[in-house]
Amino acid sequence: MKKENRPRRMRKAAVALLVIAAMTAMAGLALFGCQPQVAPAVAESAASEPELAETGLANFLTNDSGVLADTHFNEVYVNEGNRGCNSCHPDLWSVIKDVSPMPHLMTAKPGYGQSTAIRDCIECHTSAVPLAGPKLGDLLHSAHYSNETFVNEQAGNCWSCHALDNDDNIVLWDDYKYTDQLGGYYNSAQPNVQKWLMGRQQPANSMVGVTSLADFDIDVTLSQPVSDEEDMFVANNYEVPDLSTDTWTLKVTGVVNEREFTMDELKALPVTERVVTQSCLAQGIDGVQIGNIPVKGVLVKDIVEACGGLKDDVVSLRPESADGWCSSPFGESTYADFVLEQNAMIAYEYWGHDLTADQGYPATYVLPGVGGGFWNKWVTELNFSSEVPAMFGRGMLMPAVQAQGKGVYSGWFTPNKDGLEYKVGEPIEMNGWAYVWKHEGHDIKQIAFSADYGVNWIYVDVPDDYDGDQWVYFDATWTPQEAGTYILHSKAIDEGGTEQPQNASVILTVTE
Ligand SMILES: Nc1nc2c(c(=O)[nH]1)N[C@H]1C(S)=C(S)[C@@H](COP(=O)(O)O)O[C@H]1N2
Ligand SMILES: [Mo]
């Protein structure tokens, strides 16, 4: 990312570090708890980008077109600069405080140079998933409307966070701003609408001046790289146990010869090394709680074999962990055949070194292809039994959630925020990821890109020989030929044709 690329809204923004500090008291619930030891690093990264901090004083009474072009319509009617979480919380991460003595379960920090956005929160904090934490809506309304700064100093109101879509639904501004309804037209990228707007002499044939590029000419290269370890998220739900390799054992039951392995005994079994993507159950579209990890350890298959095989009546596996985390976020067992098919393993190394305490030292149960919550860190027991898993036996969430395309997703790492500026004729380097959980055995099939709200898509096939248990990384280059404001969209599609339910989108500006 070039240094000179900065959000254009900074030109107008007032300095408001104080307000940001005040606003941290605002969120009445913990969405993402910075773990104490990494909080300074987060603050530092915000400080090294002063232009972000400067955007903190959204005031609804000071109209601001934000990352959109400075037209009268955008400034007065759209007021983008005062809407959405990041208009007041450029570093949403720093806003989130812990509401229990435990740190919030989420990431220690947003990885990959990203800033946190509402989509990082709502995967969990909707009512759709059990145990997923308080639903945001009521709490955030209360926290904002009881906040002096929001109500009085910033003239905050419903429209600070929301928009009315064309079906009269109140939606989140942070979702709405990327849709073809931005500015109030249905299907604003459709040729007939474009023609109408052209007749009305609207800039870029769009109410909000967003250029719809039907012919989005990009070169895309796919790969499956390993993540930088420092970009990787950490999610601890309970207290991190203090374990020692010397005393640690792995107890295995439900096998012909039940036994306990010491670390040395475990390491004497066949060693497996591979690269596997871990993606938190709360990972959302455009999220950062994902990474591709080189793991080393012993396959559960090989452990079972060393124990003389499974007992005849075995149906499922329930791993236990030293912190009390049981088998899955829902205390559920997983089908044993699925576990073996997926080449689950007991890992004792990530990135070529012993696991860190946060990674589950000394051993983590790794179950490829499902949400990270099913991977037991600090694993101490593998209990096979005849118990029939009640709900999530194949690592899936509920069918209703699955049907929404949950677990089929992509995101942008570069550009990593809205409003970055680029130059006409100069290539823009872009990258990001796409990944799917095992949906009925399906792997990712395609990644698609659009610059006209999805009227036209460029489909890029994922090579057949790619490993479905690893993310697919895209590197793309686009050389814009005309100045304007653009919204780029990506989406993942799995082998069963399931598409991610919302595009992953980013707004950028191209100048002469
Ligand atoms: N024992 C135990 N295992 C656990 C957790 C936990 O809290 N305790 N968190 C889970 C969740 S929700 C995720 S996403 C991953 C995160 O692993 P990481 O911190 O190594 O990235 O660990 C999973 N395994
Ligand atoms: Mo998770």
Side-chain angles (χ1 to χ4, degrees):
M1 175 81 50
K2 287 188 211 134
K3 272 265 158 54
E4 63 269 26
N5 294 333
R6 327 155 116 198
R8 59 192 295 283
R9 77 156 61 110
M10 61 163 284
R11 288 187 287 110
K12 289 186 173 181
V15 179
L17 284 166
L18 212 94
V19 174
I20 294 169
M23 298 286 283
T24 58
M26 216 170 81
L29 79 170
L31 304 183
F32 292 83
C34 299
Q35 300 201 331
Q37 68 272 24
V38 295
V42 171
E44 227 167 72
S45 77
S48 70
E49 288 195 67
E51 71 272 25
L52 267 182
E54 285 170 12
T55 65
L57 187 59
N59 183 323
F60 214 85
L61 299 177
T62 310
N63 291 63
D64 183 348
S65 55
V67 302
L68 300 172
D70 293 332
T71 63
H72 175 73
F73 184 79
N74 285 344
E75 197 166 309
V76 173
Y77 294 98
V78 181
N79 204 4
E80 197 279 335
N82 292 306
R83 300 175 75 178
C85 299
N86 296 111
S87 69
C88 295
H89 309 294
D91 181 6
L92 195 52
W93 209 260
S94 67
V95 180
I96 299 150
K97 298 284 178 195
D98 294 313
V99 289
S100 84
M102 292 281 313
H104 181 273
L105 83 88
M106 282 307 159
T107 346
K109 60 177 171 57
Y112 309 98
Q114 296 284 88
S115 50
T116 313
I118 186 71
R119 283 185 181 181
D120 293 307
C121 313
I122 54 181
E123 266 324 299
C124 247
H125 293 278
T126 66
S127 52
V129 184
L131 305 190
K135 191 179 166 186
L136 283 184
D138 184 64
L139 301 169
L140 284 193
H141 285 113
S142 178
H144 283 80
Y145 283 104
S146 64
N147 182 270
E148 176 73 27
T149 308
F150 178 75
V151 174
N152 292 331
E153 287 172 42
Q154 300 193 283
N157 60 68
C158 307
W159 260 228
S160 302
C161 313
H162 293 287
L164 196 62
D165 77 6
N166 287 353
D167 300 318
D168 288 334
N169 295 315
I170 293 180
V171 295
L172 286 173
W173 170 259
D174 284 328
D175 289 335
Y176 177 79
K177 69 179 171 182
Y178 299 125
T179 70
D180 61 358
Q181 296 190 6
L182 178 62
Y185 273 82
Y186 279 107
N187 305 327
S188 61
Q190 294 288 351
N192 58 337
V193 181
Q194 294 262 298
K195 188 169 169 231
W196 167 260
L197 289 164
M198 198 187 308
R200 305 285 309 164
Q201 300 184 17
Q202 288 295 344
N205 313 331
S206 147
M207 270 321 275
V208 288
V210 170
T211 304
S212 280
L213 196 59
D215 182 19
F216 185 34
D217 188 13
I218 52 172
D219 285 324
V220 183
T221 315
L222 303 183
S223 62
Q224 297 195 295
V226 161
S227 295
D228 283 345
E229 190 172 354
E230 53 270 28
D231 279 334
M232 192 64 188
F233 73 100
V234 174
N236 300 328
N237 291 279
Y238 306 144
E239 218 161 309
V240 175
D242 183 17
L243 302 181
S244 144
T245 309
D246 302 336
T247 51
W248 175 87
T249 57
L250 180 72
K251 183 172 158 194
V252 187
T253 68
V255 287
V256 174
N257 305 309
E258 299 193 345
R259 62 176 279 197
E260 278 187 41
F261 291 87
T262 63
M263 186 54 89
D264 284 343
E265 286 165 347
L266 185 76
K267 285 184 172 174
L269 298 180
V271 174
T272 297
E273 287 187 65
R274 59 180 304 206
V275 180
V276 182
T277 290
Q278 187 194 53
S279 158
C280 178
L281 281 168
Q283 164 73 344
I285 289 161
D286 230 353
V288 295
Q289 298 164 96
I290 186 165
N292 209 24
I293 314 174
V295 299
K296 180 175 176 181
V298 178
L299 291 178
V300 171
K301 206 183 285 177
D302 291 325
I303 295 171
V304 167
E305 199 171 305
C307 298
L310 293 176
K311 283 192 175 146
D312 283 346
D313 62 348
V314 162
V315 175
S316 64
L317 170 63
R318 181 191 282 275
E320 298 283 346
S321 286
D323 65 340
W325 188 254
C326 172
S327 174
S328 82
F330 311 98
E332 257 266 316
S333 53
T334 325
Y335 281 107
D337 60 350
F338 177 72
V339 166
L340 299 176
E341 265 165 41
Q342 285 301 106
N343 285 316
M345 63 195 281
I346 301 297
Y348 47 78
E349 282 184 19
Y350 281 180
W351 284 281
H353 59 72
D354 287 352
L355 299 183
T356 64
D358 276 334
Q359 289 164 349
Y361 179 83
T364 289
Y365 165 76
V366 167
L367 181 55
V370 305
F374 292 85
W375 299 28
N376 273 52
K377 306 197 276 191
W378 315 289
V379 65
T380 52
E381 293 179 27
L382 295 179
N383 297 313
F384 291 96
S385 77
S386 57
E387 176 184 279
V388 176
M391 282 191 292
F392 312 111
R394 297 191 182 276
M396 305 287 189
L397 290 170
M398 294 103 79
V401 180
Q402 203 88 24
Q404 294 163 14
K406 165 80 191 167
V408 178
Y409 38 18
S410 65
W412 297 84
F413 287 152
T414 315
N416 66 353
K417 49 183 163 274
D418 290 338
L420 295 177
E421 281 195 11
Y422 300 89
K423 290 270 174 237
V424 168
E426 291 180 12
I428 302 176
E429 303 294 336
M430 308 179 286
N431 58 50
W433 58 274
Y435 181 65
V436 305
W437 288 331
K438 286 282 171 200
H439 277 246
E440 288 133 12
H442 296 147
D443 288 334
I444 186 167
K445 184 165 180 251
Q446 289 173 317
I447 310 177
F449 300 91
S450 173
D452 64 356
Y453 296 105
V455 176
N456 292 283
W457 286 101
I458 293 165
Y459 291 91
V460 183
D461 290 331
V462 174
D464 288 341
D465 61 354
Y466 270 34
D467 180 354
D469 293 329
Q470 293 186 50
W471 67 2
V472 178
Y473 201 88
F474 64 84
D475 282 288
T477 312
W478 170 50
T479 307
Q481 302 301 315
E482 276 178 45
T485 304
Y486 296 85
I487 307 184
L488 310 184
H489 307 270
S490 71
K491 67 177 178 185
I493 302 149
D494 83 1
E495 290 168 335
T498 303
E499 299 191 356
Q500 72 184 52
Q502 276 173 308
N503 301 330
S505 310
V506 62
I507 303 173
L508 54 83
T509 305
V510 175
T511 57
E512 289 294 347

